[in-house]
Amino acid sequence: MTKINLSEILKNNRFLSALVVLVIFYLLNYHANDLIRLFFPEITGYPRWAARMLVETAGCILAVMILYKTWFTGALREMAIIKPVHTAFLLAFAATLPMSLTFGIGSLFIPDSDLTRVLFFTILSPVTEEILFRGFAFWMLYKYARLGFWAAALLPAAIFGLMHMAQSQELMEQIGIVAITGVGGIWFSWLLMKWENLWVPIAFHVLMNFWWEIFDAGANALGDITANIARAATIVLSILFTIRMDKLPDWIRADKSWRKESNNE
């Protein structure tokens, strides 16, 4: 009897590889909460949100462990998580200066903000979203299924945008929110592709949310004209830093070793 090697089949078929990644992504994104309700129905509010993020993160890592037939550390490496953290945050801090300075000067600082809300919206939620949408959905479609950038980035970015639609009940605002966050999802994916370090989009997402949250920058992700000018300046700076990556010190450049290993297979 011929032994079926599922790993080899997936490795040699981009469509099936992409389909497996998308099915796992769908289950984690849309049904992690159902799993929490099933086993822990008494959990509500922020604890339930935290449990969902834990399930999503653990599910992504477990899925990569299975896809690559590797252990925990290997999965983190494949997801570009075992990369320099401090360089990512230094880069993001420099590029988000237009936002921090603009919001700091033109907005109202909120020292008495709900610390739990700040923690969730500026750290836990951005980190989990980047692991799920960029580290798993985009990166596995791009690296594991070997799709092109746009083919790998568009669907996760579209779903990322739609997830933020609930921030408003007004149709025009909803359209704007979906558009802005969807484009943001593509930009985060581009940063990951170029830097090959998941901490780069994580750092940008965390700091942008942080400046938005601690300063009264807007009731939702849409923002006003001033906020969007500052946000656009941040994106432009990130692009300039990225395209001039070769001019940066060696310790901050992207690691391209996985591509050489992939080409040698």
mmCIF file of all heavy atoms in Angstrom, residues 102-149:
data_model
loop_
_atom_site.group_PDB
_atom_site.id
_atom_site.type_symbol
_atom_site.label_atom_id
_atom_site.label_comp_id
_atom_site.label_asym_id
_atom_site.label_seq_id
_atom_site.Cartn_x
_atom_site.Cartn_y
_atom_site.Cartn_z
ATOM 1 N N THR A 102 1.937 65.195 17.164
ATOM 2 C CA THR A 102 0.695 65.848 16.750
ATOM 3 C C THR A 102 -0.410 65.642 17.767
ATOM 4 O O THR A 102 -1.108 66.592 18.159
ATOM 5 C CB THR A 102 0.238 65.301 15.381
ATOM 6 O OG1 THR A 102 1.244 65.557 14.413
ATOM 7 C CG2 THR A 102 -1.065 65.958 14.951
ATOM 8 N N PHE A 103 -0.586 64.407 18.216
ATOM 9 C CA PHE A 103 -1.632 64.121 19.190
ATOM 10 C C PHE A 103 -1.317 64.786 20.527
ATOM 11 O O PHE A 103 -2.213 65.261 21.224
ATOM 12 C CB PHE A 103 -1.798 62.619 19.388
ATOM 13 C CG PHE A 103 -2.240 61.877 18.157
ATOM 14 C CD1 PHE A 103 -2.150 60.499 18.094
ATOM 15 C CD2 PHE A 103 -2.745 62.555 17.052
ATOM 16 C CE1 PHE A 103 -2.564 59.807 16.972
ATOM 17 C CE2 PHE A 103 -3.146 61.880 15.917
ATOM 18 C CZ PHE A 103 -3.058 60.497 15.873
ATOM 19 N N GLY A 104 -0.027 64.801 20.894
ATOM 20 C CA GLY A 104 0.368 65.391 22.165
ATOM 21 C C GLY A 104 0.120 66.879 22.216
ATOM 22 O O GLY A 104 -0.273 67.429 23.251
ATOM 23 N N ILE A 105 0.328 67.547 21.085
ATOM 24 C CA ILE A 105 0.145 68.999 21.030
ATOM 25 C C ILE A 105 -1.319 69.377 20.826
ATOM 26 O O ILE A 105 -1.841 70.283 21.470
ATOM 27 C CB ILE A 105 0.994 69.598 19.889
ATOM 28 C CG1 ILE A 105 2.483 69.424 20.193
ATOM 29 C CG2 ILE A 105 0.665 71.079 19.691
ATOM 30 C CD1 ILE A 105 3.384 69.800 19.041
ATOM 31 N N GLY A 106 -1.988 68.646 19.921
ATOM 32 C CA GLY A 106 -3.328 69.047 19.539
ATOM 33 C C GLY A 106 -4.464 68.325 20.227
ATOM 34 O O GLY A 106 -5.625 68.693 20.050
ATOM 35 N N SER A 107 -4.147 67.297 21.013
ATOM 36 C CA SER A 107 -5.212 66.527 21.653
ATOM 37 C C SER A 107 -5.108 66.614 23.161
ATOM 38 O O SER A 107 -4.128 67.102 23.707
ATOM 39 C CB SER A 107 -5.147 65.057 21.202
ATOM 40 O OG SER A 107 -5.279 64.960 19.805
ATOM 41 N N LEU A 108 -6.129 66.086 23.811
ATOM 42 C CA LEU A 108 -6.185 66.125 25.273
ATOM 43 C C LEU A 108 -5.601 64.847 25.856
ATOM 44 O O LEU A 108 -6.044 63.748 25.541
ATOM 45 C CB LEU A 108 -7.644 66.282 25.730
ATOM 46 C CG LEU A 108 -7.895 66.270 27.243
ATOM 47 C CD1 LEU A 108 -7.250 67.490 27.888
ATOM 48 C CD2 LEU A 108 -9.392 66.261 27.535
ATOM 49 N N PHE A 109 -4.571 64.983 26.676
ATOM 50 C CA PHE A 109 -3.995 63.819 27.339
ATOM 51 C C PHE A 109 -4.991 63.291 28.377
ATOM 52 O O PHE A 109 -5.649 64.066 29.066
ATOM 53 C CB PHE A 109 -2.692 64.197 28.035
ATOM 54 C CG PHE A 109 -2.025 63.044 28.730
ATOM 55 C CD1 PHE A 109 -1.568 61.958 28.004
ATOM 56 C CD2 PHE A 109 -1.880 63.045 30.105
ATOM 57 C CE1 PHE A 109 -0.953 60.896 28.635
ATOM 58 C CE2 PHE A 109 -1.271 61.982 30.752
ATOM 59 C CZ PHE A 109 -0.813 60.907 30.012
ATOM 60 N N ILE A 110 -5.081 61.953 28.459
ATOM 61 C CA ILE A 110 -6.065 61.344 29.357
ATOM 62 C C ILE A 110 -5.330 60.527 30.420
ATOM 63 O O ILE A 110 -5.167 59.318 30.277
ATOM 64 C CB ILE A 110 -7.035 60.427 28.586
ATOM 65 C CG1 ILE A 110 -7.568 61.156 27.347
ATOM 66 C CG2 ILE A 110 -8.190 59.987 29.466
ATOM 67 C CD1 ILE A 110 -8.408 60.292 26.455
ATOM 68 N N PRO A 111 -4.858 61.164 31.501
ATOM 69 C CA PRO A 111 -4.095 60.419 32.505
ATOM 70 C C PRO A 111 -4.924 59.429 33.303
ATOM 71 O O PRO A 111 -4.398 58.497 33.873
ATOM 72 C CB PRO A 111 -3.551 61.527 33.415
ATOM 73 C CG PRO A 111 -4.539 62.645 33.272
ATOM 74 C CD PRO A 111 -5.004 62.579 31.847
ATOM 75 N N ASP A 112 -6.251 59.640 33.352
ATOM 76 C CA ASP A 112 -7.090 58.761 34.152
ATOM 77 C C ASP A 112 -7.806 57.714 33.295
ATOM 78 O O ASP A 112 -8.876 57.233 33.637
ATOM 79 C CB ASP A 112 -8.124 59.583 34.943
ATOM 80 C CG ASP A 112 -9.010 60.416 34.018
ATOM 81 O OD1 ASP A 112 -8.631 60.589 32.840
ATOM 82 O OD2 ASP A 112 -10.065 60.875 34.487
ATOM 83 N N SER A 113 -7.237 57.376 32.144
ATOM 84 C CA SER A 113 -7.845 56.355 31.294
ATOM 85 C C SER A 113 -7.924 55.025 32.030
ATOM 86 O O SER A 113 -7.120 54.722 32.904
ATOM 87 C CB SER A 113 -7.022 56.178 30.018
ATOM 88 O OG SER A 113 -7.165 57.289 29.180
ATOM 89 N N ASP A 114 -8.886 54.223 31.658
ATOM 90 C CA ASP A 114 -9.030 52.880 32.186
ATOM 91 C C ASP A 114 -7.786 52.073 31.814
ATOM 92 O O ASP A 114 -7.543 51.780 30.640
ATOM 93 C CB ASP A 114 -10.290 52.245 31.576
ATOM 94 C CG ASP A 114 -10.566 50.850 32.120
ATOM 95 O OD1 ASP A 114 -9.664 50.255 32.727
ATOM 96 O OD2 ASP A 114 -11.693 50.366 31.924
ATOM 97 N N LEU A 115 -6.980 51.718 32.800
ATOM 98 C CA LEU A 115 -5.711 51.042 32.531
ATOM 99 C C LEU A 115 -5.924 49.681 31.877
ATOM 100 O O LEU A 115 -5.110 49.247 31.054
ATOM 101 C CB LEU A 115 -4.913 50.891 33.826
ATOM 102 C CG LEU A 115 -4.404 52.192 34.454
ATOM 103 C CD1 LEU A 115 -3.616 51.896 35.720
ATOM 104 C CD2 LEU A 115 -3.550 52.960 33.457
ATOM 105 N N THR A 116 -7.005 48.993 32.250
ATOM 106 C CA THR A 116 -7.298 47.703 31.632
ATOM 107 C C THR A 116 -7.600 47.881 30.155
ATOM 108 O O THR A 116 -7.120 47.130 29.306
ATOM 109 C CB THR A 116 -8.492 47.021 32.327
ATOM 110 O OG1 THR A 116 -8.214 46.866 33.714
ATOM 111 C CG2 THR A 116 -8.750 45.651 31.711
ATOM 112 N N ARG A 117 -8.388 48.897 29.832
ATOM 113 C CA ARG A 117 -8.700 49.195 28.436
ATOM 114 C C ARG A 117 -7.433 49.536 27.662
ATOM 115 O O ARG A 117 -7.220 49.053 26.546
ATOM 116 C CB ARG A 117 -9.691 50.357 28.360
ATOM 117 C CG ARG A 117 -9.964 50.833 26.944
ATOM 118 C CD ARG A 117 -10.869 52.062 26.945
ATOM 119 N NE ARG A 117 -10.919 52.678 25.628
ATOM 120 C CZ ARG A 117 -11.709 52.277 24.651
ATOM 121 N NH1 ARG A 117 -12.524 51.267 24.832
ATOM 122 N NH2 ARG A 117 -11.695 52.884 23.477
ATOM 123 N N VAL A 118 -6.578 50.376 28.257
ATOM 124 C CA VAL A 118 -5.321 50.760 27.601
ATOM 125 C C VAL A 118 -4.463 49.520 27.347
ATOM 126 O O VAL A 118 -3.885 49.352 26.267
ATOM 127 C CB VAL A 118 -4.547 51.784 28.453
ATOM 128 C CG1 VAL A 118 -3.153 52.024 27.884
ATOM 129 C CG2 VAL A 118 -5.321 53.098 28.529
ATOM 130 N N LEU A 119 -4.386 48.633 28.338
ATOM 131 C CA LEU A 119 -3.593 47.416 28.205
ATOM 132 C C LEU A 119 -4.108 46.561 27.046
ATOM 133 O O LEU A 119 -3.316 46.073 26.221
ATOM 134 C CB LEU A 119 -3.653 46.617 29.507
ATOM 135 C CG LEU A 119 -3.010 45.217 29.479
ATOM 136 C CD1 LEU A 119 -1.514 45.333 29.275
ATOM 137 C CD2 LEU A 119 -3.318 44.463 30.769
ATOM 138 N N PHE A 120 -5.413 46.396 26.959
ATOM 139 C CA PHE A 120 -5.982 45.543 25.923
ATOM 140 C C PHE A 120 -5.876 46.176 24.544
ATOM 141 O O PHE A 120 -5.505 45.506 23.573
ATOM 142 C CB PHE A 120 -7.439 45.217 26.247
ATOM 143 C CG PHE A 120 -7.601 43.994 27.111
ATOM 144 C CD1 PHE A 120 -7.447 44.077 28.487
ATOM 145 C CD2 PHE A 120 -7.888 42.765 26.549
ATOM 146 C CE1 PHE A 120 -7.579 42.951 29.292
ATOM 147 C CE2 PHE A 120 -8.023 41.632 27.340
ATOM 148 C CZ PHE A 120 -7.871 41.723 28.716
ATOM 149 N N PHE A 121 -6.199 47.458 24.440
ATOM 150 C CA PHE A 121 -6.243 48.096 23.134
ATOM 151 C C PHE A 121 -4.869 48.475 22.600
ATOM 152 O O PHE A 121 -4.710 48.627 21.384
ATOM 153 C CB PHE A 121 -7.136 49.351 23.187
ATOM 154 C CG PHE A 121 -8.597 49.043 23.048
ATOM 155 C CD1 PHE A 121 -9.366 48.778 24.174
ATOM 156 C CD2 PHE A 121 -9.206 49.007 21.807
ATOM 157 C CE1 PHE A 121 -10.717 48.484 24.051
ATOM 158 C CE2 PHE A 121 -10.553 48.713 21.677
ATOM 159 C CZ PHE A 121 -11.320 48.450 22.810
ATOM 160 N N THR A 122 -3.889 48.641 23.466
ATOM 161 C CA THR A 122 -2.580 49.082 22.998
ATOM 162 C C THR A 122 -1.509 47.999 23.041
ATOM 163 O O THR A 122 -0.452 48.176 22.436
ATOM 164 C CB THR A 122 -2.078 50.286 23.819
ATOM 165 O OG1 THR A 122 -1.807 49.873 25.172
ATOM 166 C CG2 THR A 122 -3.107 51.405 23.841
ATOM 167 N N ILE A 123 -1.749 46.897 23.728
ATOM 168 C CA ILE A 123 -0.727 45.848 23.795
ATOM 169 C C ILE A 123 -1.306 44.490 23.398
ATOM 170 O O ILE A 123 -0.921 43.919 22.374
ATOM 171 C CB ILE A 123 -0.096 45.766 25.202
ATOM 172 C CG1 ILE A 123 0.579 47.089 25.560
ATOM 173 C CG2 ILE A 123 0.925 44.618 25.253
ATOM 174 C CD1 ILE A 123 1.178 47.113 26.947
ATOM 175 N N LEU A 124 -2.218 43.964 24.195
ATOM 176 C CA LEU A 124 -2.699 42.601 23.979
ATOM 177 C C LEU A 124 -3.407 42.432 22.632
ATOM 178 O O LEU A 124 -3.131 41.479 21.894
ATOM 179 C CB LEU A 124 -3.621 42.190 25.126
ATOM 180 C CG LEU A 124 -2.983 42.153 26.515
ATOM 181 C CD1 LEU A 124 -3.994 41.708 27.559
ATOM 182 C CD2 LEU A 124 -1.769 41.228 26.525
ATOM 183 N N SER A 125 -4.324 43.328 22.314
ATOM 184 C CA SER A 125 -5.061 43.201 21.062
ATOM 185 C C SER A 125 -4.164 43.371 19.834
ATOM 186 O O SER A 125 -4.218 42.540 18.919
ATOM 187 C CB SER A 125 -6.211 44.217 21.025
ATOM 188 O OG SER A 125 -6.959 44.077 19.835
ATOM 189 N N PRO A 126 -3.322 44.410 19.761
ATOM 190 C CA PRO A 126 -2.438 44.534 18.590
ATOM 191 C C PRO A 126 -1.492 43.355 18.410
ATOM 192 O O PRO A 126 -1.289 42.890 17.293
ATOM 193 C CB PRO A 126 -1.653 45.822 18.879
ATOM 194 C CG PRO A 126 -2.509 46.603 19.798
ATOM 195 C CD PRO A 126 -3.209 45.591 20.643
ATOM 196 N N VAL A 127 -0.919 42.860 19.515
ATOM 197 C CA VAL A 127 0.005 41.728 19.414
ATOM 198 C C VAL A 127 -0.714 40.497 18.880
ATOM 199 O O VAL A 127 -0.230 39.813 17.965
ATOM 200 C CB VAL A 127 0.654 41.426 20.782
ATOM 201 C CG1 VAL A 127 1.438 40.116 20.722
ATOM 202 C CG2 VAL A 127 1.578 42.562 21.198
ATOM 203 N N THR A 128 -1.898 40.209 19.429
ATOM 204 C CA THR A 128 -2.655 39.040 18.986
ATOM 205 C C THR A 128 -3.097 39.177 17.537
ATOM 206 O O THR A 128 -3.015 38.225 16.747
ATOM 207 C CB THR A 128 -3.891 38.826 19.873
ATOM 208 O OG1 THR A 128 -3.488 38.720 21.233
ATOM 209 C CG2 THR A 128 -4.632 37.561 19.480
ATOM 210 N N GLU A 129 -3.572 40.364 17.153
ATOM 211 C CA GLU A 129 -3.994 40.580 15.768
ATOM 212 C C GLU A 129 -2.845 40.397 14.796
ATOM 213 O O GLU A 129 -3.024 39.812 13.714
ATOM 214 C CB GLU A 129 -4.602 41.981 15.620
ATOM 215 C CG GLU A 129 -5.971 42.123 16.268
ATOM 216 C CD GLU A 129 -6.523 43.529 16.197
ATOM 217 O OE1 GLU A 129 -5.780 44.447 15.770
ATOM 218 O OE2 GLU A 129 -7.691 43.721 16.577
ATOM 219 N N GLU A 130 -1.667 40.877 15.165
ATOM 220 C CA GLU A 130 -0.525 40.716 14.259
ATOM 221 C C GLU A 130 -0.086 39.262 14.156
ATOM 222 O O GLU A 130 0.313 38.800 13.087
ATOM 223 C CB GLU A 130 0.637 41.609 14.713
ATOM 224 C CG GLU A 130 0.388 43.092 14.547
ATOM 225 C CD GLU A 130 -0.097 43.440 13.144
ATOM 226 O OE1 GLU A 130 0.545 43.011 12.170
ATOM 227 O OE2 GLU A 130 -1.131 44.119 13.033
ATOM 228 N N ILE A 131 -0.149 38.536 15.253
ATOM 229 C CA ILE A 131 0.196 37.112 15.205
ATOM 230 C C ILE A 131 -0.792 36.365 14.310
ATOM 231 O O ILE A 131 -0.388 35.548 13.459
ATOM 232 C CB ILE A 131 0.208 36.507 16.619
ATOM 233 C CG1 ILE A 131 1.405 37.039 17.415
ATOM 234 C CG2 ILE A 131 0.263 34.980 16.549
ATOM 235 C CD1 ILE A 131 1.427 36.612 18.864
ATOM 236 N N LEU A 132 -2.089 36.643 14.455
ATOM 237 C CA LEU A 132 -3.116 35.937 13.693
ATOM 238 C C LEU A 132 -3.166 36.383 12.239
ATOM 239 O O LEU A 132 -3.141 35.541 11.319
ATOM 240 C CB LEU A 132 -4.483 36.143 14.347
ATOM 241 C CG LEU A 132 -5.694 35.524 13.636
ATOM 242 C CD1 LEU A 132 -5.550 34.006 13.537
ATOM 243 C CD2 LEU A 132 -6.985 35.889 14.367
ATOM 244 N N PHE A 133 -3.246 37.693 12.002
ATOM 245 C CA PHE A 133 -3.452 38.195 10.648
ATOM 246 C C PHE A 133 -2.174 38.282 9.824
ATOM 247 O O PHE A 133 -2.208 38.038 8.613
ATOM 248 C CB PHE A 133 -4.123 39.579 10.700
ATOM 249 C CG PHE A 133 -5.581 39.520 11.008
ATOM 250 C CD1 PHE A 133 -6.027 39.528 12.321
ATOM 251 C CD2 PHE A 133 -6.521 39.449 9.989
ATOM 252 C CE1 PHE A 133 -7.383 39.462 12.616
ATOM 253 C CE2 PHE A 133 -7.874 39.391 10.272
ATOM 254 C CZ PHE A 133 -8.308 39.391 11.589
ATOM 255 N N ARG A 134 -1.074 38.671 10.444
ATOM 256 C CA ARG A 134 0.170 38.791 9.690
ATOM 257 C C ARG A 134 1.086 37.578 9.907
ATOM 258 O O ARG A 134 1.523 36.938 8.959
ATOM 259 C CB ARG A 134 0.893 40.075 10.069
ATOM 260 C CG ARG A 134 0.771 41.157 9.035
ATOM 261 C CD ARG A 134 -0.669 41.643 8.819
ATOM 262 N NE ARG A 134 -1.204 42.332 9.984
ATOM 263 C CZ ARG A 134 -2.428 42.848 10.047
ATOM 264 N NH1 ARG A 134 -3.261 42.711 9.022
ATOM 265 N NH2 ARG A 134 -2.857 43.471 11.120
ATOM 266 N N GLY A 135 1.359 37.233 11.159
ATOM 267 C CA GLY A 135 2.285 36.138 11.431
ATOM 268 C C GLY A 135 1.784 34.801 10.953
ATOM 269 O O GLY A 135 2.579 33.941 10.543
ATOM 270 N N PHE A 136 0.457 34.600 10.980
ATOM 271 C CA PHE A 136 -0.075 33.328 10.497
ATOM 272 C C PHE A 136 -0.726 33.484 9.124
ATOM 273 O O PHE A 136 -0.236 32.925 8.143
ATOM 274 C CB PHE A 136 -1.090 32.729 11.473
ATOM 275 C CG PHE A 136 -1.610 31.402 11.003
ATOM 276 C CD1 PHE A 136 -0.823 30.272 11.104
ATOM 277 C CD2 PHE A 136 -2.870 31.297 10.414
ATOM 278 C CE1 PHE A 136 -1.276 29.044 10.627
ATOM 279 C CE2 PHE A 136 -3.326 30.074 9.935
ATOM 280 C CZ PHE A 136 -2.525 28.943 10.048
ATOM 281 N N ALA A 137 -1.832 34.213 9.021
ATOM 282 C CA ALA A 137 -2.594 34.245 7.762
ATOM 283 C C ALA A 137 -1.743 34.735 6.587
ATOM 284 O O ALA A 137 -1.559 34.019 5.597
ATOM 285 C CB ALA A 137 -3.830 35.117 7.931
ATOM 286 N N PHE A 138 -1.219 35.948 6.681
ATOM 287 C CA PHE A 138 -0.427 36.473 5.560
ATOM 288 C C PHE A 138 0.875 35.720 5.372
ATOM 289 O O PHE A 138 1.207 35.279 4.272
ATOM 290 C CB PHE A 138 -0.133 37.962 5.761
ATOM 291 C CG PHE A 138 0.985 38.444 4.862
ATOM 292 C CD1 PHE A 138 0.776 38.582 3.503
ATOM 293 C CD2 PHE A 138 2.252 38.725 5.378
ATOM 294 C CE1 PHE A 138 1.809 38.998 2.657
ATOM 295 C CE2 PHE A 138 3.286 39.131 4.549
ATOM 296 C CZ PHE A 138 3.062 39.274 3.184
ATOM 297 N N TRP A 139 1.635 35.540 6.444
ATOM 298 C CA TRP A 139 2.989 34.985 6.327
ATOM 299 C C TRP A 139 2.959 33.536 5.869
ATOM 300 O O TRP A 139 3.815 33.110 5.087
ATOM 301 C CB TRP A 139 3.715 35.128 7.654
ATOM 302 C CG TRP A 139 5.211 35.028 7.603
ATOM 303 C CD1 TRP A 139 6.007 34.235 8.380
ATOM 304 C CD2 TRP A 139 6.108 35.769 6.773
ATOM 305 N NE1 TRP A 139 7.334 34.434 8.096
ATOM 306 C CE2 TRP A 139 7.422 35.379 7.103
ATOM 307 C CE3 TRP A 139 5.932 36.731 5.776
ATOM 308 C CZ2 TRP A 139 8.550 35.897 6.473
ATOM 309 C CZ3 TRP A 139 7.055 37.260 5.142
ATOM 310 C CH2 TRP A 139 8.335 36.835 5.495
ATOM 311 N N MET A 140 1.975 32.765 6.320
ATOM 312 C CA MET A 140 1.889 31.379 5.874
ATOM 313 C C MET A 140 1.407 31.297 4.424
ATOM 314 O O MET A 140 1.840 30.427 3.676
ATOM 315 C CB MET A 140 0.959 30.582 6.791
ATOM 316 C CG MET A 140 1.519 30.344 8.188
ATOM 317 S SD MET A 140 3.103 29.449 8.205
ATOM 318 C CE MET A 140 4.242 30.803 8.610
ATOM 319 N N LEU A 141 0.511 32.189 4.010
ATOM 320 C CA LEU A 141 0.111 32.221 2.607
ATOM 321 C C LEU A 141 1.285 32.635 1.724
ATOM 322 O O LEU A 141 1.475 32.110 0.619
ATOM 323 C CB LEU A 141 -1.058 33.190 2.400
ATOM 324 C CG LEU A 141 -2.416 32.750 2.945
ATOM 325 C CD1 LEU A 141 -3.427 33.885 2.815
ATOM 326 C CD2 LEU A 141 -2.922 31.508 2.222
ATOM 327 N N TYR A 142 2.077 33.556 2.213
ATOM 328 C CA TYR A 142 3.200 34.086 1.441
ATOM 329 C C TYR A 142 4.404 33.145 1.463
ATOM 330 O O TYR A 142 5.009 32.861 0.429
ATOM 331 C CB TYR A 142 3.592 35.453 2.000
ATOM 332 C CG TYR A 142 4.746 36.121 1.287
ATOM 333 C CD1 TYR A 142 4.593 36.630 0.000
ATOM 334 C CD2 TYR A 142 5.986 36.250 1.906
ATOM 335 C CE1 TYR A 142 5.651 37.247 -0.652
ATOM 336 C CE2 TYR A 142 7.044 36.866 1.261
ATOM 337 C CZ TYR A 142 6.873 37.358 -0.019
ATOM 338 O OH TYR A 142 7.916 37.969 -0.671
ATOM 339 N N LYS A 143 4.738 32.641 2.630
ATOM 340 C CA LYS A 143 5.946 31.843 2.787
ATOM 341 C C LYS A 143 5.695 30.346 2.647
ATOM 342 O O LYS A 143 6.448 29.642 1.965
ATOM 343 C CB LYS A 143 6.573 32.138 4.157
ATOM 344 C CG LYS A 143 7.886 31.429 4.421
ATOM 345 C CD LYS A 143 8.363 31.710 5.834
ATOM 346 C CE LYS A 143 9.590 30.877 6.166
ATOM 347 N NZ LYS A 143 9.965 30.986 7.580
ATOM 348 N N TYR A 144 4.655 29.825 3.280
ATOM 349 C CA TYR A 144 4.375 28.388 3.251
ATOM 350 C C TYR A 144 3.676 27.983 1.948
ATOM 351 O O TYR A 144 4.098 27.044 1.265
ATOM 352 C CB TYR A 144 3.517 28.002 4.451
ATOM 353 C CG TYR A 144 3.148 26.537 4.493
ATOM 354 C CD1 TYR A 144 4.090 25.578 4.875
ATOM 355 C CD2 TYR A 144 1.870 26.111 4.146
ATOM 356 C CE1 TYR A 144 3.760 24.228 4.905
ATOM 357 C CE2 TYR A 144 1.526 24.767 4.184
ATOM 358 C CZ TYR A 144 2.479 23.831 4.562
ATOM 359 O OH TYR A 144 2.152 22.500 4.580
ATOM 360 N N ALA A 145 2.592 28.714 1.585
ATOM 361 C CA ALA A 145 1.868 28.403 0.351
ATOM 362 C C ALA A 145 2.526 29.025 -0.875
ATOM 363 O O ALA A 145 2.123 28.729 -2.007
ATOM 364 C CB ALA A 145 0.414 28.864 0.459
ATOM 365 N N ARG A 146 3.482 29.931 -0.657
ATOM 366 C CA ARG A 146 4.272 30.546 -1.719
ATOM 367 C C ARG A 146 3.405 31.351 -2.708
ATOM 368 O O ARG A 146 3.615 31.318 -3.916
ATOM 369 C CB ARG A 146 5.105 29.486 -2.461
ATOM 370 C CG ARG A 146 6.020 28.694 -1.561
ATOM 371 C CD ARG A 146 6.842 27.656 -2.303
ATOM 372 N NE ARG A 146 6.037 26.755 -3.124
ATOM 373 C CZ ARG A 146 5.320 25.748 -2.648
ATOM 374 N NH1 ARG A 146 5.296 25.504 -1.342
ATOM 375 N NH2 ARG A 146 4.634 24.964 -3.469
ATOM 376 N N LEU A 147 2.413 32.056 -2.167
ATOM 377 C CA LEU A 147 1.623 32.966 -2.992
ATOM 378 C C LEU A 147 2.369 34.284 -3.135
ATOM 379 O O LEU A 147 3.262 34.598 -2.354
ATOM 380 C CB LEU A 147 0.253 33.218 -2.348
ATOM 381 C CG LEU A 147 -0.659 32.005 -2.125
ATOM 382 C CD1 LEU A 147 -2.006 32.473 -1.594
ATOM 383 C CD2 LEU A 147 -0.840 31.187 -3.387
ATOM 384 N N GLY A 148 1.981 35.062 -4.134
ATOM 385 C CA GLY A 148 2.551 36.397 -4.281
ATOM 386 C C GLY A 148 2.083 37.318 -3.167
ATOM 387 O O GLY A 148 1.135 36.990 -2.432
ATOM 388 N N PHE A 149 2.705 38.480 -3.067
ATOM 389 C CA PHE A 149 2.365 39.387 -1.970
ATOM 390 C C PHE A 149 0.888 39.745 -1.959
ATOM 391 O O PHE A 149 0.215 39.627 -0.929
ATOM 392 C CB PHE A 149 3.208 40.669 -2.045
ATOM 393 C CG PHE A 149 2.755 41.712 -1.063
ATOM 394 C CD1 PHE A 149 3.069 41.599 0.284
ATOM 395 C CD2 PHE A 149 1.975 42.790 -1.475
ATOM 396 C CE1 PHE A 149 2.620 42.544 1.204
ATOM 397 C CE2 PHE A 149 1.533 43.742 -0.572
ATOM 398 C CZ PHE A 149 1.863 43.615 0.770
#
